Amino acid sequence: MDMMGRGPARVAVDLMGGDHAPEAVIAGIRIAREAGHASVVAVGPADLRASIESETDAEFVVADQVVSMDEHPAAAVRSRPESTMAVGCRLVKEGAADAFFTCGNTGAALAAGLLYIGRIPGIKRPALATVVPATERVPVLLDIGANADCKPENLVQFAMMGREYARAALGTDQPTVGLLNIGEEPIKGSQLALAAHELMKDTVPGFFGNVEGRDIPQPPVDVIVTDGFTGNVAVKLIEGTAKALLGAVADAFRSTLASRLGAALAMSGLASLKDRLDPDEYGGAPLLGVDGVLLVGHGSSGPEAVASGIRMAARVSEQGLPSRIAATL
Amino acid sequence: MDMMGRGPARVAVDLMGGDHAPEAVIAGIRIAREAGHASVVAVGPADLRASIESETDAEFVVADQVVSMDEHPAAAVRSRPESTMAVGCRLVKEGAADAFFTCGNTGAALAAGLLYIGRIPGIKRPALATVVPATERVPVLLDIGANADCKPENLVQFAMMGREYARAALGTDQPTVGLLNIGEEPIKGSQLALAAHELMKDTVPGFFGNVEGRDIPQPPVDVIVTDGFTGNVAVKLIEGTAKALLGAVADAFRSTLASRLGAALAMSGLASLKDRLDPDEYGGAPLLGVDGVLLVGHGSSGPEAVASGIRMAARVSEQGLPSRIAATL
């Protein structure tokens, strides 16, 4: 469904997704509504109807089953057709919502998206993408886990979908694309990377060539393409490295009296850094290639992250993301 | 060759390897010799003999050809049998040295190691390993780039070799092993990871199960095993993330007068953090599975990093690393 020029989008929101659901989700809906980001359809068990209606101006749709964070995704989604995941995706499929946002089990969201929204015709493998928080140019990285094994032609489609996401989500004009590889030269890499490079150089607009692991945080391109195994390791490694490093910086500050004083003085600068590196700014991970907008937020999302996800889901819907992806085929 | 109990090792050192060769290498040899780390055989062009003999007490062996940092590795090594890489590896093969340390072209070092030292019988694919600088437990990670495509049985051998390196290099007693994967559960992962998990759980002592990208900087295991594509992306990503993040912290410090003052006060704590995270501490990347000790330092190594590499090469030789690996087969 193409929302271009149709005004603010309707975003279905999973009330039961994430570690702090439903409270953080309800608070996030309130923030998003106050900012006028989108109209919201809250999806959750009937006993939440009263709080939604008293605390927000969102519509309410009942979904009486829940898929929890640690279940086997595909099986849980299939066996629970009235789960918030399933109902949210069906609202998108039926056109009752333009997008679905959930902070729940990522695997279950992928399974529900494939089962209830379905692929854009011609897209072989939908891919999960993310915007990597970085200090300057923020790249779109995909696949980050939907496809542990990929073929070269899948990576070509990931490139095309990543470019459309960079346009719709970040407003990037002519997105450039790098292939994640283990050397800059075209002759470097795994069998997959070698074959993908050959295909991409002839078919992907703005193809830059190979980029390496060290380039991800300060990339020379707008979109970085890889298989879902490498991409998943990469995003979790960035998260882990940042956590370990900032923790170590904090420890170093605590180590002497002078450094404790120094840390207090440096706090304002560090707080602005924290804001710039906050992944919640970018609203979550879209499943690209399904025929609708499906965005998965971090399980630990608080109210601000939920609001940011709703805003992003609305924005890319209003930009007509699925039709734009279909048009690249 | 097993050096256990034979006293200090003889380490051949490539005078022409790295961005700051030969000056940084010669200075590093001097530091290593003053600390009594090992006896050194300096390998380089004849015109360096005089400086080696006047500035250090190292022996000197002539190698009149050089493989540069940006050449095609295998071709360069084959076409230049008198290169420092080739001569250094032959000294190990012939028993004239116990180990070879170079800061040169990593690909060329791998090619020379395979061609002139050769594999330990039974090892199918030698692997490049590294010690990941971390704030607490420092894990051995392999393969970081020798094999872009791997089979499950290769990963089993990597696990066994990584355990022996953790013992010899870090003194870890009963090293535990994790398989890098995209989920904790055994049913997660690529075809390669699934098959490797099955094999490893039955054959690798101390097998812990899957670890994820976020675990690498603060790992629950002593050895992390992956294919050379993922491992190469991972080590370069850690390097890139650390550089971007510490750069951003520095920028944040410069942003206000108070934070500049704070940074000055916090300097001592931050300097000790920098030391703890310094990858040079761990002496470089060993090529495990060749029938001798071959250690590759970072191209940007300065004198301290060279000295540290020489010390590590000597230590693992004295621990009889190649025989220990052979004994696991």
Side-chain angles (χ1 to χ4, degrees):
Chain A
M1 130 201 38
D2 191 337
M3 294 297 304
M4 287 170 98
R6 277 179 45 195
R10 285 163 60 87
V11 178
V13 178
D14 179 358
L15 289 174
M16 301 306 288
D19 306 333
H20 310 299
E23 295 78 10
V25 181
I26 296 173
I29 291 173
R30 208 162 46 223
I31 296 170
R33 285 299 304 143
E34 282 164 13
H37 290 332
S39 65
V40 169
V41 184
V43 181
D47 59 10
L48 289 178
R49 182 188 294 272
S51 353
I52 291 298
E53 291 183 347
S54 67
E55 293 177 42
T56 77
D57 65 354
E59 292 175 61
F60 186 82
V61 168
V62 177
D64 268 329
Q65 296 176 317
V66 170
V67 175
S68 69
M69 295 302 274
D70 47 6
E71 284 187 276
H72 187 284
V77 165
R78 263 192 299 266
S79 68
R80 247 157 294 159
E82 295 309 315
S83 64
T84 52
M85 290 277 186
V87 171
C89 287
R90 286 204 302 269
L91 289 173
V92 173
K93 177 70 177 180
E94 294 155 4
D98 301 309
F100 178 50
F101 175 72
T102 176
C103 300
N105 183 322
T106 303
L110 303 193
L114 290 171
L115 187 61
Y116 293 109
I117 306 178
R119 288 173 298 159
I120 293 170
I123 293 291
K124 291 199 177 126
R125 307 287 290 267
L128 198 63
T130 192
V131 176
V132 178
T135 51
E136 290 165 35
R137 164 145 60 174
V138 292
V140 173
L141 174 66
L142 77 169
D143 179 14
I144 62 163
N147 309 280
D149 292 290
C150 291
K151 297 191 175 127
E153 53 271 32
N154 300 143
L155 271 57
V156 171
Q157 290 196 335
F158 298 171
M160 305 305 280
M161 298 195 295
R163 294 186 84 231
E164 294 311 319
Y165 193 71
R167 277 193 234 266
L170 306 172
T172 312
D173 189 22
Q174 296 286 338
T176 54
V177 177
L179 172 67
L180 187 57
N181 204 334
I182 61 174
E184 290 174 10
E185 312 82 355
I187 55 153
K188 283 288 191 80
S190 59
Q191 296 303 315
L192 172 64
L194 287 167
H197 187 108
E198 273 303 299
L199 277 181
M200 290 172 78
K201 104 179 135 55
D202 296 331
T203 53
V204 173
F207 183 58
F208 167 88
N210 294 337
V211 299
E212 298 187 76
R214 71 168 65 85
D215 298 322
I216 298 175
Q218 295 183 313
V221 293
D222 302 301
V223 177
I224 299 172
V225 170
T226 189
D227 64 272
F229 187 89
T230 312
N232 185 277
V233 167
V235 288
K236 289 175 178 166
L237 180 53
I238 293 171
E239 187 186 321
T241 304
K243 192 178 155 206
L245 216 52
L246 295 178
V249 168
D251 285 347
F253 278 143
R254 280 191 287 269
S255 63
T256 67
L257 179 62
S259 64
R260 279 200 295 278
L261 192 62
L265 288 166
M267 206 48 81
S268 68
L270 287 176
S272 87
L273 169 65
K274 194 162 171 302
D275 286 348
R276 268 187 298 154
L277 295 179
D278 188 355
D280 292 343
E281 257 315 283
Y282 303 103
L287 181 63
L288 301 177
V290 291
D291 200 8
V293 172
L294 170 55
L295 207 61
V296 187
H298 203 286
S300 66
S301 293
E304 291 294 342
V306 170
S308 164
I310 293 170
R311 182 185 61 206
M312 185 58 89
R315 182 190 301 170
V316 299
S317 297
E318 288 158 16
Q319 295 286 326
L321 178 66
S323 339
R324 284 182 175 214
I325 289 175
T328 67
L329 293 171
Chain B
M1 133 199 36
D2 192 337
M3 294 298 302
M4 286 170 99
R6 276 179 46 196
R10 285 162 60 90
V11 179
V13 178
D14 179 359
L15 289 174
M16 302 307 287
D19 306 333
H20 309 299
E23 294 77 11
V25 181
I26 296 173
I29 291 173
R30 209 162 47 222
I31 296 169
R33 285 299 303 141
E34 281 164 13
H37 289 332
S39 66
V40 169
V41 183
V43 181
D47 60 9
L48 288 178
R49 182 188 293 273
S51 355
I52 291 297
E53 290 183 348
S54 67
E55 293 177 44
T56 77
D57 65 355
E59 290 175 61
F60 186 82
V61 167
V62 177
D64 269 328
Q65 296 176 320
V66 171
V67 175
S68 70
M69 294 302 274
D70 47 7
E71 285 186 275
H72 187 284
V77 165
R78 264 192 298 268
S79 68
R80 248 158 292 159
E82 295 307 315
S83 65
T84 52
M85 290 277 186
V87 171
C89 287
R90 286 204 303 269
L91 289 172
V92 173
K93 177 69 177 180
E94 294 156 5
D98 301 308
F100 178 49
F101 176 72
T102 176
C103 299
N105 181 323
T106 304
L110 303 193
L114 290 172
L115 186 62
Y116 293 110
I117 305 180
R119 288 174 297 159
I120 293 170
I123 293 292
K124 291 199 178 127
R125 308 287 291 267
L128 198 62
T130 191
V131 176
V132 179
T135 51
E136 289 166 34
R137 166 146 59 174
V138 292
V140 173
L141 174 67
L142 77 169
D143 179 16
I144 61 163
N147 310 281
D149 293 291
C150 290
K151 296 188 176 131
E153 53 269 32
N154 301 143
L155 269 57
V156 171
Q157 289 196 336
F158 298 171
M160 305 305 281
M161 298 195 296
R163 294 186 84 230
E164 295 310 319
Y165 193 70
R167 277 193 234 267
L170 306 172
T172 312
D173 189 23
Q174 295 287 339
T176 55
V177 177
L179 172 67
L180 187 58
N181 205 335
I182 61 174
E184 289 175 9
E185 312 83 355
I187 56 152
K188 284 287 192 80
S190 59
Q191 295 303 315
L192 172 63
L194 288 167
H197 188 108
E198 273 304 298
L199 277 181
M200 290 171 80
K201 106 180 134 56
D202 296 330
T203 53
V204 172
F207 183 59
F208 168 88
N210 295 337
V211 298
E212 298 188 76
R214 70 168 66 86
D215 299 322
I216 298 176
Q218 295 183 315
V221 292
D222 301 301
V223 177
I224 298 172
V225 170
T226 189
D227 65 272
F229 187 89
T230 311
N232 185 277
V233 167
V235 288
K236 289 175 178 168
L237 179 53
I238 294 171
E239 187 187 319
T241 304
K243 192 178 155 206
L245 216 53
L246 294 179
V249 168
D251 285 347
F253 278 143
R254 279 191 287 269
S255 63
T256 67
L257 180 61
S259 64
R260 278 201 295 278
L261 192 63
L265 288 166
M267 205 46 80
S268 69
L270 287 175
S272 86
L273 169 65
K274 195 164 169 297
D275 285 350
R276 267 186 298 156
L277 295 179
D278 187 354
D280 292 343
E281 257 313 284
Y282 303 102
L287 181 63
L288 302 177
V290 291
D291 200 8
V293 172
L294 170 56
L295 207 62
V296 186
H298 203 286
S300 66
S301 293
E304 291 294 341
V306 170
S308 164
I310 293 170
R311 183 185 61 208
M312 185 59 88
R315 182 190 301 169
V316 298
S317 297
E318 288 157 15
Q319 295 285 326
L321 178 65
S323 339
R324 285 182 176 214
I325 289 175
T328 67
L329 294 171

